[in-house]
Amino acid sequence: MEIPIAGAILWLIGVNIAATLTAMWDKNRARRREFRVPESTLWMLAAVGGAAAMWVTMYVIRHKTRHLRFTIGLPLMLVVQIGAVVLVWKLGGVVLI
């Protein structure tokens, strides 16, 4: 299956923006002691391509930095995602459109 690179880039931009905004929203709600964004939502956004933005945002706004599953899990997820992109690229599954 060939994946158009333009579509993949647009997807990554969108999901990374969503991941950043969601993490910032959760941080804001945590400060005000309000109902929080479920961690499963943060993980889902990271898993579908937002791990890079989630990881950077985590340190910029100092959110979830005490949770090992985030401080270790997000970089590991990012490495796996980069590896998957390289593998798809090497196997010729990406079309430059």
Side-chain angles (χ1 to χ4, degrees):
M1 178 173 97
E2 293 182 346
I3 303 168
I5 190 104
I9 289 171
L10 286 174
W11 170 263
L12 288 174
I13 289 169
V15 78
N16 278 278
I17 289 170
T20 299
L21 293 175
T22 304
M24 291 170 66
W25 185 44
D26 187 46
K27 174 70 173 190
N28 188 356
R29 295 183 70 80
R31 282 187 188 142
R32 296 185 307 186
R33 301 205 185 280
E34 293 179 353
F35 182 73
R36 305 278 303 278
V37 174
E39 284 189 2
S40 60
T41 301
L42 298 174
W43 281 112
M44 184 269 310
L45 286 167
V48 297
M54 187 77 70
W55 187 38
V56 170
T57 302
M58 183 177 78
Y59 285 101
V60 169
I61 66 173
R62 301 181 83 175
H63 188 53
K64 300 287 186 187
T65 55
R66 294 185 189 178
H67 299 271
L68 279 179
R69 61 183 168 260
F70 280 91
T71 58
I72 301 218
L74 284 175
L76 286 176
M77 185 179 288
L78 182 57
V79 167
V80 169
Q81 289 174 351
I82 291 170
V85 167
V86 169
L87 182 64
V88 168
W89 187 274
K90 292 284 184 183
L91 294 176
V94 177
V95 180
L96 297 174
I97 293 178

